[in-house]
Amino acid sequence: MNPETEFRPGLDEMASHFHAILKLLGEDPEREGLTKTPMRVAKAMQILTRGYTQDAHKVLTDALFKEEYNQMVIVKNIDFYSMCEHHILPFYGQVHVAYIPNGYITGLSKIARVVDIFSHRLQVQERLTQQIKDCIQETLKPLGVMVVVEAKHMCMQMRGVEKHNSVTTTSDFSGAFNQAKTREEFMNLIRQK
């Protein structure tokens, strides 16, 4: 399914709800600039939440390779965009992932796809961090996984406290990353340019 051209059931119903929301906001949904907006928003929301229809575990297992490499594999600076479930406003930033293989590796692009799948759902950053870590741990069964997410939240910048330069950092780890030395090595490596 191409999320830009094929849409899930319920698109028309969703558009009618956005039509009603425009009215409730005091707008005229029939004026020229807004006549197509409800359907545009419905399509955009389906694209932004396409992760609900994708299986992150399958993405990893489709590119699983036996390899006796047992040192840290890091994929850093993975850009992501997500929607905060509390305000339906974007949050975005970068994800850094490390794992220590235990007989199997996966294609590097698959790590970024896992990030995309979980970020294309209504989210909170803490859950996003944990879901990425859990998926890699459960699927690859490595010696350890660590995930760090750094993000800016529009709900903090556009509304509420309006703190424009704030960045939220979350992390989650398992296995070998329970050792401070291993976590420190990962953190030092992701800070290098």
Side-chain angles (χ1 to χ4, degrees):
M1 179 174 140
N2 180 344
E4 295 289 337
T5 58
E6 300 173 35
F7 295 95
R8 304 188 302 268
L11 192 64
D12 290 329
E13 183 180 359
M14 192 183 299
S16 73
H17 287 288
F18 285 116
H19 186 276
I21 289 169
L22 287 172
K23 277 186 170 179
L24 291 169
L25 291 173
E27 267 294 354
D28 174 10
E30 303 307 323
R31 75 174 170 84
E32 184 180 6
L34 291 177
T35 56
K36 295 182 180 178
T37 296
M39 184 55 75
R40 284 190 199 108
V41 175
K43 287 179 178 179
M45 289 306 293
Q46 282 205 2
I47 291 167
L48 295 171
T49 60
R50 68 182 178 258
Y52 289 119
T53 64
Q54 299 171 326
D55 183 346
H57 295 277
K58 184 174 181 341
V59 165
L60 291 177
T61 57
D62 283 350
L64 197 59
F65 308 103
K66 186 151 184 57
E67 193 64 52
E68 294 307 317
Y69 183 80
N70 62 358
Q71 300 300 314
M72 199 179 302
V73 176
I74 299 174
V75 183
K76 67 180 187 174
N77 302 330
I78 303 168
D79 293 325
F80 81 93
Y81 299 88
S82 193
M83 298 291 282
C84 165
E85 69 181 33
H86 299 146
H87 300 100
I88 316 294
L89 287 172
F91 69 98
Y92 62 93
Q94 293 189 322
V95 177
H96 314 286
V97 177
Y99 74 99
I100 300 173
N102 188 18
Y104 289 92
I105 61 171
T106 190
L108 297 176
S109 68
K110 305 309 178 190
I111 300 293
R113 292 253 306 136
V114 167
V115 171
D116 281 347
I117 289 169
F118 288 117
S119 66
H120 281 84
R121 300 175 182 186
L122 298 180
Q123 277 290 7
V124 294
Q125 183 173 333
E126 297 86 346
R127 183 186 321 118
L128 174 64
T129 306
Q130 187 174 24
Q131 286 176 330
I132 295 166
K133 187 266 300 177
D134 288 347
C135 179
I136 295 167
Q137 184 65 52
E138 293 164 8
T139 308
L140 299 182
K141 301 191 181 354
L143 299 175
V145 178
M146 185 161 177
V147 176
V148 173
V149 178
E150 301 169 306
K152 291 188 170 199
H153 292 251
M154 290 293 100
C155 57
M156 281 190 66
Q157 294 180 346
M158 294 175 67
R159 55 157 303 282
V161 296
E162 296 183 5
K163 299 302 178 203
H164 305 284
N165 295 310
S166 65
V167 175
T168 302
T169 302
T170 51
S171 67
D172 197 4
F173 51 87
S174 64
F177 289 95
N178 283 307
Q179 298 173 21
K181 182 179 173 186
T182 308
R183 286 195 310 276
E184 184 179 328
E185 178 185 352
F186 171 58
M187 295 304 289
N188 288 335
L189 289 168
I190 67 172
R191 297 294 175 232
Q192 293 176 1
K193 294 292 174 192

